[in-house]
Amino acid sequence: MPKFLLALTILMPALLSAQVPHSTGSVHTSDVDLGYETFGSPGAEIPLIAVNGGPGLSHAYMMQNDLWQRAAAHRLVVLYDQRGTGASKQVQPNAPQSMEAQVADLDAIRSSLSLDRIAVLGDSYGGMIAMAYAAAHPEHVSRLILSDSAAPSWKTIVHLLPQVFPDREELGDAEAKRLAADPEAAAQAGLVNHMRMCFYSPEKRDAYVSHMGDIGFVPAVGRAVQQATENLDLTPKLAGFSFPTLVITGRYDMNVAPLTAWRMAHAIPGAQIVFFEKSGHLPAYEEPEKYLKVLERFLAADKTTLRKAKAPRS
């Protein structure tokens, strides 16, 4: 291939993502002013709302590459910050952190943008919000994507970090003790340590951690969400999902092990599951080309095709 064509091939994704319309906004509710950003434009393609994980994180950790800008080449893509994080910190005193409140916030974002039917993508803990939203508002859900999602109950998540990274866990404990007098610093150091255990590729891990900066972690919000949802169990709702569902999991995700995804895919009628063989907890970062291809294929397929399709395994 001529050098100028090779260079164009390498640069094209960045050039395309730079041309995608981008905007930010805020939705006022009685509890919180919700900050969001959009990429792309409304059109014939299904709009996508991506719900970030945590709890207690803003959506900044999902913005470490241009995947969402590229996904917006043919559709509107929306990301927002959950109450108490990022651009959504204007929260009324004593506002709840319950799942009902999280669902109401997501619906407020959808409604404010005049979106009737949407694809909802939940990443990590965001998958729990996505499932709760789908159960509460199936009339607005055209597609559901669970990306290395938490289980429908905290108690059924298969979490293997302590077993796989005992050395890293020990280092994290030592750092927490060293920073005991500064809880905020200890929490931020703990987050960095946690992120270091979320990757398949050491090179991708180091690149992500070195550039992630402040990804909007608010420990108090995380604790409040955990407490408010500790007894939540959405498992009985899954059998009633009638919309096409895609379950994505990194093969080497030790934060939410693939068995969690496998169980959810088999509990949701007709769900497809795709394993990312060179990923940990963040396949959108470790294998973005495959992630985008899988996502677009799922969003573009008509429902008849999805019902007839054999669940992909790779």
Side-chain angles (χ1 to χ4, degrees), residues 175-188:
E175 184 73 353
K177 289 179 180 178
R178 186 179 72 81
L179 296 170
D182 187 345
E184 182 66 25
Q188 297 300 329

PDB file of all heavy atoms in Angstrom, residues 175-188:
ATOM      1  N   GLU A 175      -1.380   1.041  50.591  1.00  0.00           N
ATOM      2  CA  GLU A 175      -1.520   2.445  50.220  1.00  0.00           C
ATOM      3  C   GLU A 175      -2.663   3.093  50.995  1.00  0.00           C
ATOM      4  O   GLU A 175      -2.566   4.247  51.431  1.00  0.00           O
ATOM      5  CB  GLU A 175      -1.771   2.547  48.707  1.00  0.00           C
ATOM      6  CG  GLU A 175      -1.848   3.960  48.162  1.00  0.00           C
ATOM      7  CD  GLU A 175      -0.490   4.652  48.104  1.00  0.00           C
ATOM      8  OE1 GLU A 175       0.516   4.099  48.600  1.00  0.00           O
ATOM      9  OE2 GLU A 175      -0.436   5.767  47.555  1.00  0.00           O
ATOM     10  N   ALA A 176      -3.755   2.366  51.184  1.00  0.00           N
ATOM     11  CA  ALA A 176      -4.893   2.896  51.939  1.00  0.00           C
ATOM     12  C   ALA A 176      -4.493   3.200  53.380  1.00  0.00           C
ATOM     13  O   ALA A 176      -4.886   4.227  53.947  1.00  0.00           O
ATOM     14  CB  ALA A 176      -6.053   1.911  51.903  1.00  0.00           C
ATOM     15  N   LYS A 177      -3.693   2.321  53.980  1.00  0.00           N
ATOM     16  CA  LYS A 177      -3.237   2.560  55.348  1.00  0.00           C
ATOM     17  C   LYS A 177      -2.324   3.784  55.414  1.00  0.00           C
ATOM     18  O   LYS A 177      -2.405   4.587  56.344  1.00  0.00           O
ATOM     19  CB  LYS A 177      -2.508   1.328  55.873  1.00  0.00           C
ATOM     20  CG  LYS A 177      -3.417   0.136  56.143  1.00  0.00           C
ATOM     21  CD  LYS A 177      -2.624  -1.063  56.633  1.00  0.00           C
ATOM     22  CE  LYS A 177      -3.550  -2.258  56.890  1.00  0.00           C
ATOM     23  NZ  LYS A 177      -2.791  -3.459  57.314  1.00  0.00           N
ATOM     24  N   ARG A 178      -1.475   3.925  54.403  1.00  0.00           N
ATOM     25  CA  ARG A 178      -0.552   5.059  54.378  1.00  0.00           C
ATOM     26  C   ARG A 178      -1.308   6.381  54.280  1.00  0.00           C
ATOM     27  O   ARG A 178      -0.890   7.401  54.832  1.00  0.00           O
ATOM     28  CB  ARG A 178       0.420   4.918  53.205  1.00  0.00           C
ATOM     29  CG  ARG A 178       1.519   5.969  53.168  1.00  0.00           C
ATOM     30  CD  ARG A 178       2.445   5.757  52.001  1.00  0.00           C
ATOM     31  NE  ARG A 178       1.826   6.083  50.738  1.00  0.00           N
ATOM     32  CZ  ARG A 178       1.714   7.326  50.245  1.00  0.00           C
ATOM     33  NH1 ARG A 178       2.188   8.350  50.935  1.00  0.00           N
ATOM     34  NH2 ARG A 178       1.167   7.534  49.070  1.00  0.00           N
ATOM     35  N   LEU A 179      -2.448   6.355  53.569  1.00  0.00           N
ATOM     36  CA  LEU A 179      -3.217   7.578  53.325  1.00  0.00           C
ATOM     37  C   LEU A 179      -4.447   7.673  54.229  1.00  0.00           C
ATOM     38  O   LEU A 179      -5.376   8.424  53.936  1.00  0.00           O
ATOM     39  CB  LEU A 179      -3.654   7.629  51.855  1.00  0.00           C
ATOM     40  CG  LEU A 179      -2.530   7.712  50.816  1.00  0.00           C
ATOM     41  CD1 LEU A 179      -3.078   7.515  49.419  1.00  0.00           C
ATOM     42  CD2 LEU A 179      -1.790   9.039  50.926  1.00  0.00           C
ATOM     43  N   ALA A 180      -4.447   6.914  55.307  1.00  0.00           N
ATOM     44  CA  ALA A 180      -5.630   6.851  56.170  1.00  0.00           C
ATOM     45  C   ALA A 180      -6.071   8.214  56.683  1.00  0.00           C
ATOM     46  O   ALA A 180      -7.255   8.452  56.902  1.00  0.00           O
ATOM     47  CB  ALA A 180      -5.356   5.912  57.347  1.00  0.00           C
ATOM     48  N   ALA A 181      -5.134   9.119  56.860  1.00  0.00           N
ATOM     49  CA  ALA A 181      -5.474  10.444  57.377  1.00  0.00           C
ATOM     50  C   ALA A 181      -6.135  11.329  56.325  1.00  0.00           C
ATOM     51  O   ALA A 181      -6.665  12.390  56.646  1.00  0.00           O
ATOM     52  CB  ALA A 181      -4.219  11.132  57.913  1.00  0.00           C
ATOM     53  N   ASP A 182      -6.095  10.893  55.075  1.00  0.00           N
ATOM     54  CA  ASP A 182      -6.680  11.675  53.980  1.00  0.00           C
ATOM     55  C   ASP A 182      -7.593  10.754  53.177  1.00  0.00           C
ATOM     56  O   ASP A 182      -7.177  10.180  52.171  1.00  0.00           O
ATOM     57  CB  ASP A 182      -5.576  12.255  53.091  1.00  0.00           C
ATOM     58  CG  ASP A 182      -6.116  13.216  52.041  1.00  0.00           C
ATOM     59  OD1 ASP A 182      -7.342  13.224  51.802  1.00  0.00           O
ATOM     60  OD2 ASP A 182      -5.312  13.951  51.441  1.00  0.00           O
ATOM     61  N   PRO A 183      -8.837  10.580  53.598  1.00  0.00           N
ATOM     62  CA  PRO A 183      -9.748   9.634  52.935  1.00  0.00           C
ATOM     63  C   PRO A 183      -9.940   9.897  51.445  1.00  0.00           C
ATOM     64  O   PRO A 183     -10.055   8.952  50.663  1.00  0.00           O
ATOM     65  CB  PRO A 183     -11.062   9.827  53.701  1.00  0.00           C
ATOM     66  CG  PRO A 183     -10.649  10.357  55.032  1.00  0.00           C
ATOM     67  CD  PRO A 183      -9.458  11.214  54.768  1.00  0.00           C
ATOM     68  N   GLU A 184      -9.958  11.157  51.046  1.00  0.00           N
ATOM     69  CA  GLU A 184     -10.151  11.482  49.634  1.00  0.00           C
ATOM     70  C   GLU A 184      -8.969  10.985  48.809  1.00  0.00           C
ATOM     71  O   GLU A 184      -9.145  10.360  47.758  1.00  0.00           O
ATOM     72  CB  GLU A 184     -10.314  12.989  49.456  1.00  0.00           C
ATOM     73  CG  GLU A 184     -10.581  13.420  48.017  1.00  0.00           C
ATOM     74  CD  GLU A 184     -11.918  12.949  47.481  1.00  0.00           C
ATOM     75  OE1 GLU A 184     -12.846  12.708  48.290  1.00  0.00           O
ATOM     76  OE2 GLU A 184     -12.037  12.803  46.249  1.00  0.00           O
ATOM     77  N   ALA A 185      -7.750  11.246  49.303  1.00  0.00           N
ATOM     78  CA  ALA A 185      -6.566  10.771  48.591  1.00  0.00           C
ATOM     79  C   ALA A 185      -6.519   9.253  48.565  1.00  0.00           C
ATOM     80  O   ALA A 185      -6.129   8.646  47.559  1.00  0.00           O
ATOM     81  CB  ALA A 185      -5.299  11.337  49.252  1.00  0.00           C
ATOM     82  N   ALA A 186      -6.923   8.623  49.664  1.00  0.00           N
ATOM     83  CA  ALA A 186      -6.939   7.155  49.725  1.00  0.00           C
ATOM     84  C   ALA A 186      -7.915   6.592  48.709  1.00  0.00           C
ATOM     85  O   ALA A 186      -7.630   5.586  48.040  1.00  0.00           O
ATOM     86  CB  ALA A 186      -7.312   6.697  51.136  1.00  0.00           C
ATOM     87  N   ALA A 187      -9.079   7.233  48.575  1.00  0.00           N
ATOM     88  CA  ALA A 187     -10.088   6.763  47.618  1.00  0.00           C
ATOM     89  C   ALA A 187      -9.588   6.898  46.187  1.00  0.00           C
ATOM     90  O   ALA A 187      -9.773   5.989  45.362  1.00  0.00           O
ATOM     91  CB  ALA A 187     -11.385   7.541  47.804  1.00  0.00           C
ATOM     92  N   GLN A 188      -8.939   8.015  45.881  1.00  0.00           N
ATOM     93  CA  GLN A 188      -8.432   8.222  44.526  1.00  0.00           C
ATOM     94  C   GLN A 188      -7.305   7.234  44.207  1.00  0.00           C
ATOM     95  O   GLN A 188      -7.238   6.698  43.100  1.00  0.00           O
ATOM     96  CB  GLN A 188      -7.940   9.666  44.363  1.00  0.00           C
ATOM     97  CG  GLN A 188      -9.023  10.719  44.531  1.00  0.00           C
ATOM     98  CD  GLN A 188     -10.155  10.589  43.535  1.00  0.00           C
ATOM     99  OE1 GLN A 188      -9.970  10.150  42.407  1.00  0.00           O
ATOM    100  NE2 GLN A 188     -11.361  10.997  43.950  1.00  0.00           N
TER     101      GLN A 188
END
